[in-house]
Amino acid sequence: GAVVSQHPSWVICKSGTSVKIECRSLDFQATTMFWYRQFPKQSLMLMATSNEGSKATYEQGVEKDKFLINHASLTLSTLTVTSAHPEDSSFYICSLPAFYNEQFFGPGTRLTVL
Amino acid sequence: LAKTTQPISMDSYEGQEVNITCSHNNIATNDYITWYQQFPSQGPRFIIQGYKTKVTNEVASLFIPADRKSSTLSLPRVSLSDTAVYYCLVGGRGRGKLIFGQGTELSVKP
């Protein structure tokens, strides 16, 4: 099946800096990918839909200027958390829609903002 | 997208069968029911999907009654490694976005 990788797997940064998270599809060409955020002991929250070659679609309440998404190729989507603050500390997960309602999820990126 | 309701947590012992029920009263005609498993600090993993009656794979079974307003994920003879959060999702059989509910935290004890 499809394999989705994320880089880095964890990152620690200082408040005010920007962090880029990469999501790669290793087996499938992905015109669409999804980005989720998950706080401890909570469910996954869909942040945005990443569309290859066009603008991302953000869910209500997600700041598009803070969470920049770029999907420049069929195998790579990036999420940049700009001017990160401690409240942005979370587990960020990308996914690749495959067949029907099956999605392949990446291993996640743990972001800690000090 | 139909809303789902699951128990927040369940406890079981190794070797037992575990049944997790999900309610989805507003399921639409075109909706399918999909279950995912998530271990701590990992992305979710697809377990099983069904539309009606019963579906079985090497990992689990999914039972869906005729009215489709609920579904039950059955895990046979659980082991410690089945300790995870299980999510029930309902939606059309496309490649669209998934909305996760609260999930059920299953704890398997020795």
Side-chain angles (χ1 to χ4, degrees):
Chain A
V3 175
V4 179
S5 69
Q6 285 186 236
H7 178 79
S9 56
W10 60 270
V11 57
I12 302 173
C13 70
K14 293 182 178 180
S15 184
T17 61
S18 294
V19 175
K20 179 185 285 188
I21 302 170
E22 294 183 347
C23 176
R24 292 183 184 275
S25 172
L26 303 182
D27 294 329
F28 275 76
Q29 290 188 330
T31 55
T32 300
M33 299 182 87
F34 299 102
W35 285 95
Y36 296 83
R37 179 168 58 179
Q38 185 174 35
F39 293 109
K41 294 294 184 180
Q42 293 188 22
S43 183
L44 285 79
M45 185 195 80
L46 179 66
M47 299 177 67
T49 302
S50 175
N51 303 301
E52 188 266 335
S54 64
K55 292 182 179 180
T57 304
Y58 291 83
E59 295 298 304
Q60 190 174 10
V62 178
E63 300 175 60
K64 62 180 182 180
D65 294 330
K66 180 169 184 63
F67 299 99
L68 301 179
I69 292 174
N70 184 277
H71 194 151
S73 76
L74 288 172
T75 58
L76 175 64
S77 174
T78 61
L79 168 68
T80 301
V81 183
T82 62
S83 186
H85 291 284
E87 58 266 30
D88 299 320
S89 297
S90 188
F91 192 53
Y92 292 86
I93 311 169
C94 66
S95 74
L96 166 66
F99 311 109
Y100 309 110
N101 268 348
E102 181 174 356
Q103 289 189 11
F104 294 105
F105 286 82
T109 297
R110 176 76 58 191
L111 170 63
T112 302
V113 184
L114 302 177
Chain B
L1 297 170
K3 181 179 178 179
T4 60
T5 303
Q6 307 172 230
I8 294 175
S9 63
M10 293 181 68
D11 291 329
S12 182
Y13 291 93
E14 282 190 293
Q16 289 187 334
E17 177 184 75
V18 172
N19 296 308
I20 305 174
T21 298
C22 178
S23 297
H24 28 80
N25 292 319
N26 296 323
I27 189 169
T29 303
N30 295 331
D31 285 344
Y32 280 70
I33 300 152
T34 311
W35 286 80
Y36 283 81
Q37 174 192 56
Q38 186 183 25
F39 297 113
S41 296
Q42 294 186 28
R45 181 178 73 106
F46 172 89
I47 300 176
I48 197 167
Q49 181 182 84
Y51 183 80
K52 62 180 179 180
T53 62
K54 176 184 175 182
V55 179
T56 298
N57 61 22
E58 65 278 6
V59 177
S61 294
L62 178 59
F63 298 92
I64 305 168
D67 66 6
R68 304 198 330 120
K69 294 184 182 298
S70 67
S71 59
T72 299
L73 175 72
S74 181
L75 304 172
R77 297 180 299 282
V78 294
S79 65
L80 297 177
S81 62
D82 292 315
T83 294
V85 178
Y86 293 83
Y87 294 97
C88 163
L89 292 90
V90 173
R93 209 180 191 190
R95 292 157 55 91
K97 59 186 180 182
L98 298 178
I99 304 300
F100 283 78
Q102 64 181 18
T104 298
E105 186 172 12
L106 173 65
S107 177
V108 180
K109 303 174 182 178

PDB file of all heavy atoms in Angstrom, chain A residues 5-30:
ATOM      1  N   SER A   5       5.345   9.566   4.299  1.00  0.00           N
ATOM      2  CA  SER A   5       6.378   9.922   5.267  1.00  0.00           C
ATOM      3  C   SER A   5       6.253  11.380   5.663  1.00  0.00           C
ATOM      4  O   SER A   5       5.720  12.195   4.898  1.00  0.00           O
ATOM      5  CB  SER A   5       7.773   9.653   4.696  1.00  0.00           C
ATOM      6  OG  SER A   5       8.058  10.559   3.640  1.00  0.00           O
ATOM      7  N   GLN A   6       6.704  11.685   6.836  1.00  0.00           N
ATOM      8  CA  GLN A   6       6.725  13.059   7.318  1.00  0.00           C
ATOM      9  C   GLN A   6       8.106  13.376   7.852  1.00  0.00           C
ATOM     10  O   GLN A   6       8.779  12.530   8.444  1.00  0.00           O
ATOM     11  CB  GLN A   6       5.686  13.276   8.424  1.00  0.00           C
ATOM     12  CG  GLN A   6       4.268  13.368   7.937  1.00  0.00           C
ATOM     13  CD  GLN A   6       3.286  13.724   9.028  1.00  0.00           C
ATOM     14  OE1 GLN A   6       2.326  13.000   9.272  1.00  0.00           O
ATOM     15  NE2 GLN A   6       3.498  14.855   9.699  1.00  0.00           N
ATOM     16  N   HIS A   7       8.488  14.622   7.653  1.00  0.00           N
ATOM     17  CA  HIS A   7       9.778  15.063   8.162  1.00  0.00           C
ATOM     18  C   HIS A   7       9.673  16.496   8.649  1.00  0.00           C
ATOM     19  O   HIS A   7       9.087  17.335   7.941  1.00  0.00           O
ATOM     20  CB  HIS A   7      10.847  14.981   7.073  1.00  0.00           C
ATOM     21  CG  HIS A   7      12.184  15.476   7.516  1.00  0.00           C
ATOM     22  ND1 HIS A   7      13.048  14.717   8.282  1.00  0.00           N
ATOM     23  CD2 HIS A   7      12.788  16.681   7.354  1.00  0.00           C
ATOM     24  CE1 HIS A   7      14.128  15.410   8.546  1.00  0.00           C
ATOM     25  NE2 HIS A   7      14.006  16.607   7.985  1.00  0.00           N
ATOM     26  N   PRO A   8      10.146  16.812   9.823  1.00  0.00           N
ATOM     27  CA  PRO A   8      10.781  15.891  10.762  1.00  0.00           C
ATOM     28  C   PRO A   8       9.744  15.114  11.571  1.00  0.00           C
ATOM     29  O   PRO A   8       8.560  15.412  11.497  1.00  0.00           O
ATOM     30  CB  PRO A   8      11.573  16.845  11.649  1.00  0.00           C
ATOM     31  CG  PRO A   8      10.729  18.079  11.680  1.00  0.00           C
ATOM     32  CD  PRO A   8      10.123  18.193  10.312  1.00  0.00           C
ATOM     33  N   SER A   9      10.179  14.140  12.320  1.00  0.00           N
ATOM     34  CA  SER A   9       9.271  13.392  13.177  1.00  0.00           C
ATOM     35  C   SER A   9       8.997  14.166  14.460  1.00  0.00           C
ATOM     36  O   SER A   9       7.942  14.002  15.074  1.00  0.00           O
ATOM     37  CB  SER A   9       9.824  12.009  13.502  1.00  0.00           C
ATOM     38  OG  SER A   9      11.116  12.121  14.088  1.00  0.00           O
ATOM     39  N   TRP A  10       9.940  14.980  14.844  1.00  0.00           N
ATOM     40  CA  TRP A  10       9.723  15.871  15.981  1.00  0.00           C
ATOM     41  C   TRP A  10      10.595  17.100  15.812  1.00  0.00           C
ATOM     42  O   TRP A  10      11.648  17.057  15.173  1.00  0.00           O
ATOM     43  CB  TRP A  10      10.006  15.178  17.313  1.00  0.00           C
ATOM     44  CG  TRP A  10      11.393  14.670  17.462  1.00  0.00           C
ATOM     45  CD1 TRP A  10      11.859  13.447  17.113  1.00  0.00           C
ATOM     46  CD2 TRP A  10      12.524  15.397  17.976  1.00  0.00           C
ATOM     47  NE1 TRP A  10      13.211  13.349  17.377  1.00  0.00           N
ATOM     48  CE2 TRP A  10      13.646  14.537  17.913  1.00  0.00           C
ATOM     49  CE3 TRP A  10      12.700  16.691  18.491  1.00  0.00           C
ATOM     50  CZ2 TRP A  10      14.897  14.915  18.347  1.00  0.00           C
ATOM     51  CZ3 TRP A  10      13.955  17.069  18.921  1.00  0.00           C
ATOM     52  CH2 TRP A  10      15.043  16.193  18.835  1.00  0.00           C
ATOM     53  N   VAL A  11      10.126  18.206  16.363  1.00  0.00           N
ATOM     54  CA  VAL A  11      10.876  19.451  16.276  1.00  0.00           C
ATOM     55  C   VAL A  11      10.568  20.310  17.491  1.00  0.00           C
ATOM     56  O   VAL A  11       9.417  20.370  17.935  1.00  0.00           O
ATOM     57  CB  VAL A  11      10.565  20.194  14.958  1.00  0.00           C
ATOM     58  CG1 VAL A  11       9.080  20.476  14.805  1.00  0.00           C
ATOM     59  CG2 VAL A  11      11.363  21.479  14.847  1.00  0.00           C
ATOM     60  N   ILE A  12      11.597  20.937  17.985  1.00  0.00           N
ATOM     61  CA  ILE A  12      11.479  21.892  19.093  1.00  0.00           C
ATOM     62  C   ILE A  12      11.971  23.233  18.580  1.00  0.00           C
ATOM     63  O   ILE A  12      13.055  23.312  17.994  1.00  0.00           O
ATOM     64  CB  ILE A  12      12.298  21.450  20.314  1.00  0.00           C
ATOM     65  CG1 ILE A  12      11.842  20.061  20.789  1.00  0.00           C
ATOM     66  CG2 ILE A  12      12.168  22.470  21.439  1.00  0.00           C
ATOM     67  CD1 ILE A  12      12.711  19.481  21.883  1.00  0.00           C
ATOM     68  N   CYS A  13      11.185  24.260  18.789  1.00  0.00           N
ATOM     69  CA  CYS A  13      11.592  25.568  18.298  1.00  0.00           C
ATOM     70  C   CYS A  13      11.263  26.642  19.329  1.00  0.00           C
ATOM     71  O   CYS A  13      10.478  26.408  20.260  1.00  0.00           O
ATOM     72  CB  CYS A  13      10.932  25.879  16.970  1.00  0.00           C
ATOM     73  SG  CYS A  13       9.163  26.176  17.076  1.00  0.00           S
ATOM     74  N   LYS A  14      11.843  27.784  19.119  1.00  0.00           N
ATOM     75  CA  LYS A  14      11.576  28.912  20.000  1.00  0.00           C
ATOM     76  C   LYS A  14      10.343  29.671  19.521  1.00  0.00           C
ATOM     77  O   LYS A  14      10.039  29.697  18.319  1.00  0.00           O
ATOM     78  CB  LYS A  14      12.775  29.852  20.040  1.00  0.00           C
ATOM     79  CG  LYS A  14      14.016  29.257  20.690  1.00  0.00           C
ATOM     80  CD  LYS A  14      15.130  30.278  20.722  1.00  0.00           C
ATOM     81  CE  LYS A  14      16.381  29.713  21.412  1.00  0.00           C
ATOM     82  NZ  LYS A  14      17.490  30.714  21.447  1.00  0.00           N
ATOM     83  N   SER A  15       9.668  30.272  20.440  1.00  0.00           N
ATOM     84  CA  SER A  15       8.491  31.064  20.119  1.00  0.00           C
ATOM     85  C   SER A  15       8.860  32.172  19.135  1.00  0.00           C
ATOM     86  O   SER A  15       9.882  32.831  19.276  1.00  0.00           O
ATOM     87  CB  SER A  15       7.922  31.662  21.405  1.00  0.00           C
ATOM     88  OG  SER A  15       6.734  32.365  21.152  1.00  0.00           O
ATOM     89  N   GLY A  16       8.025  32.326  18.112  1.00  0.00           N
ATOM     90  CA  GLY A  16       8.265  33.358  17.114  1.00  0.00           C
ATOM     91  C   GLY A  16       8.927  32.874  15.846  1.00  0.00           C
ATOM     92  O   GLY A  16       8.944  33.588  14.836  1.00  0.00           O
ATOM     93  N   THR A  17       9.475  31.690  15.883  1.00  0.00           N
ATOM     94  CA  THR A  17      10.117  31.142  14.686  1.00  0.00           C
ATOM     95  C   THR A  17       9.092  30.377  13.852  1.00  0.00           C
ATOM     96  O   THR A  17       7.979  30.088  14.295  1.00  0.00           O
ATOM     97  CB  THR A  17      11.270  30.205  15.054  1.00  0.00           C
ATOM     98  OG1 THR A  17      10.759  29.104  15.826  1.00  0.00           O
ATOM     99  CG2 THR A  17      12.318  30.946  15.861  1.00  0.00           C
ATOM    100  N   SER A  18       9.493  30.064  12.622  1.00  0.00           N
ATOM    101  CA  SER A  18       8.627  29.305  11.715  1.00  0.00           C
ATOM    102  C   SER A  18       9.172  27.901  11.544  1.00  0.00           C
ATOM    103  O   SER A  18      10.388  27.687  11.545  1.00  0.00           O
ATOM    104  CB  SER A  18       8.544  30.002  10.357  1.00  0.00           C
ATOM    105  OG  SER A  18       7.899  31.249  10.483  1.00  0.00           O
ATOM    106  N   VAL A  19       8.288  26.980  11.387  1.00  0.00           N
ATOM    107  CA  VAL A  19       8.658  25.572  11.252  1.00  0.00           C
ATOM    108  C   VAL A  19       7.963  24.976  10.036  1.00  0.00           C
ATOM    109  O   VAL A  19       6.757  25.157   9.864  1.00  0.00           O
ATOM    110  CB  VAL A  19       8.252  24.777  12.511  1.00  0.00           C
ATOM    111  CG1 VAL A  19       8.521  23.290  12.315  1.00  0.00           C
ATOM    112  CG2 VAL A  19       8.973  25.309  13.728  1.00  0.00           C
ATOM    113  N   LYS A  20       8.735  24.274   9.219  1.00  0.00           N
ATOM    114  CA  LYS A  20       8.165  23.629   8.041  1.00  0.00           C
ATOM    115  C   LYS A  20       8.120  22.119   8.249  1.00  0.00           C
ATOM    116  O   LYS A  20       9.107  21.500   8.641  1.00  0.00           O
ATOM    117  CB  LYS A  20       8.988  23.936   6.794  1.00  0.00           C
ATOM    118  CG  LYS A  20       8.448  23.256   5.524  1.00  0.00           C
ATOM    119  CD  LYS A  20       9.346  23.473   4.328  1.00  0.00           C
ATOM    120  CE  LYS A  20       9.235  24.858   3.783  1.00  0.00           C
ATOM    121  NZ  LYS A  20       9.967  25.020   2.496  1.00  0.00           N
ATOM    122  N   ILE A  21       6.970  21.547   7.938  1.00  0.00           N
ATOM    123  CA  ILE A  21       6.781  20.101   8.047  1.00  0.00           C
ATOM    124  C   ILE A  21       6.497  19.566   6.649  1.00  0.00           C
ATOM    125  O   ILE A  21       5.631  20.093   5.942  1.00  0.00           O
ATOM    126  CB  ILE A  21       5.616  19.762   8.986  1.00  0.00           C
ATOM    127  CG1 ILE A  21       5.863  20.346  10.381  1.00  0.00           C
ATOM    128  CG2 ILE A  21       5.407  18.250   9.065  1.00  0.00           C
ATOM    129  CD1 ILE A  21       4.656  20.257  11.306  1.00  0.00           C
ATOM    130  N   GLU A  22       7.222  18.532   6.270  1.00  0.00           N
ATOM    131  CA  GLU A  22       7.049  17.944   4.946  1.00  0.00           C
ATOM    132  C   GLU A  22       6.245  16.652   5.025  1.00  0.00           C
ATOM    133  O   GLU A  22       6.423  15.859   5.947  1.00  0.00           O
ATOM    134  CB  GLU A  22       8.402  17.645   4.306  1.00  0.00           C
ATOM    135  CG  GLU A  22       9.227  18.862   3.990  1.00  0.00           C
ATOM    136  CD  GLU A  22      10.524  18.498   3.281  1.00  0.00           C
ATOM    137  OE1 GLU A  22      10.878  17.308   3.260  1.00  0.00           O
ATOM    138  OE2 GLU A  22      11.179  19.415   2.762  1.00  0.00           O
ATOM    139  N   CYS A  23       5.412  16.463   4.036  1.00  0.00           N
ATOM    140  CA  CYS A  23       4.633  15.233   3.922  1.00  0.00           C
ATOM    141  C   CYS A  23       4.830  14.693   2.507  1.00  0.00           C
ATOM    142  O   CYS A  23       4.524  15.382   1.535  1.00  0.00           O
ATOM    143  CB  CYS A  23       3.160  15.534   4.176  1.00  0.00           C
ATOM    144  SG  CYS A  23       2.057  14.121   3.948  1.00  0.00           S
ATOM    145  N   ARG A  24       5.360  13.489   2.425  1.00  0.00           N
ATOM    146  CA  ARG A  24       5.651  12.893   1.118  1.00  0.00           C
ATOM    147  C   ARG A  24       4.863  11.614   0.891  1.00  0.00           C
ATOM    148  O   ARG A  24       4.756  10.765   1.777  1.00  0.00           O
ATOM    149  CB  ARG A  24       7.143  12.574   0.993  1.00  0.00           C
ATOM    150  CG  ARG A  24       8.033  13.790   0.925  1.00  0.00           C
ATOM    151  CD  ARG A  24       9.489  13.419   0.722  1.00  0.00           C
ATOM    152  NE  ARG A  24      10.338  14.599   0.759  1.00  0.00           N
ATOM    153  CZ  ARG A  24      10.568  15.374  -0.292  1.00  0.00           C
ATOM    154  NH1 ARG A  24      10.039  15.074  -1.465  1.00  0.00           N
ATOM    155  NH2 ARG A  24      11.342  16.431  -0.188  1.00  0.00           N
ATOM    156  N   SER A  25       4.356  11.504  -0.303  1.00  0.00           N
ATOM    157  CA  SER A  25       3.728  10.257  -0.735  1.00  0.00           C
ATOM    158  C   SER A  25       4.761   9.474  -1.518  1.00  0.00           C
ATOM    159  O   SER A  25       5.285   9.950  -2.523  1.00  0.00           O
ATOM    160  CB  SER A  25       2.520  10.564  -1.624  1.00  0.00           C
ATOM    161  OG  SER A  25       2.031   9.373  -2.198  1.00  0.00           O
ATOM    162  N   LEU A  26       5.071   8.291  -1.069  1.00  0.00           N
ATOM    163  CA  LEU A  26       6.154   7.518  -1.663  1.00  0.00           C
ATOM    164  C   LEU A  26       5.684   6.583  -2.776  1.00  0.00           C
ATOM    165  O   LEU A  26       6.471   6.162  -3.606  1.00  0.00           O
ATOM    166  CB  LEU A  26       6.871   6.720  -0.576  1.00  0.00           C
ATOM    167  CG  LEU A  26       7.442   7.548   0.579  1.00  0.00           C
ATOM    168  CD1 LEU A  26       8.166   6.657   1.574  1.00  0.00           C
ATOM    169  CD2 LEU A  26       8.369   8.640   0.057  1.00  0.00           C
ATOM    170  N   ASP A  27       4.421   6.256  -2.785  1.00  0.00           N
ATOM    171  CA  ASP A  27       3.942   5.280  -3.764  1.00  0.00           C
ATOM    172  C   ASP A  27       2.853   5.815  -4.684  1.00  0.00           C
ATOM    173  O   ASP A  27       2.651   5.279  -5.775  1.00  0.00           O
ATOM    174  CB  ASP A  27       3.385   4.044  -3.052  1.00  0.00           C
ATOM    175  CG  ASP A  27       4.462   3.281  -2.323  1.00  0.00           C
ATOM    176  OD1 ASP A  27       5.604   3.307  -2.782  1.00  0.00           O
ATOM    177  OD2 ASP A  27       4.157   2.679  -1.281  1.00  0.00           O
ATOM    178  N   PHE A  28       2.148   6.808  -4.222  1.00  0.00           N
ATOM    179  CA  PHE A  28       1.019   7.317  -4.993  1.00  0.00           C
ATOM    180  C   PHE A  28       1.267   8.762  -5.389  1.00  0.00           C
ATOM    181  O   PHE A  28       1.884   9.521  -4.661  1.00  0.00           O
ATOM    182  CB  PHE A  28      -0.269   7.278  -4.159  1.00  0.00           C
ATOM    183  CG  PHE A  28      -0.972   5.963  -4.190  1.00  0.00           C
ATOM    184  CD1 PHE A  28      -0.498   4.892  -3.468  1.00  0.00           C
ATOM    185  CD2 PHE A  28      -2.142   5.782  -4.926  1.00  0.00           C
ATOM    186  CE1 PHE A  28      -1.148   3.673  -3.476  1.00  0.00           C
ATOM    187  CE2 PHE A  28      -2.803   4.568  -4.934  1.00  0.00           C
ATOM    188  CZ  PHE A  28      -2.300   3.515  -4.213  1.00  0.00           C
ATOM    189  N   GLN A  29       0.725   9.127  -6.512  1.00  0.00           N
ATOM    190  CA  GLN A  29       0.696  10.536  -6.867  1.00  0.00           C
ATOM    191  C   GLN A  29      -0.531  11.136  -6.209  1.00  0.00           C
ATOM    192  O   GLN A  29      -1.642  10.610  -6.339  1.00  0.00           O
ATOM    193  CB  GLN A  29       0.633  10.714  -8.383  1.00  0.00           C
ATOM    194  CG  GLN A  29       1.925  10.311  -9.086  1.00  0.00           C
ATOM    195  CD  GLN A  29       1.908  10.668 -10.557  1.00  0.00           C
ATOM    196  OE1 GLN A  29       0.850  10.689 -11.180  1.00  0.00           O
ATOM    197  NE2 GLN A  29       3.061  10.976 -11.109  1.00  0.00           N
ATOM    198  N   ALA A  30      -0.308  12.228  -5.494  1.00  0.00           N
ATOM    199  CA  ALA A  30      -1.373  12.785  -4.678  1.00  0.00           C
ATOM    200  C   ALA A  30      -1.754  14.181  -5.149  1.00  0.00           C
ATOM    201  O   ALA A  30      -1.004  15.128  -4.955  1.00  0.00           O
ATOM    202  CB  ALA A  30      -0.938  12.827  -3.222  1.00  0.00           C
TER     203      ALA A  30
END
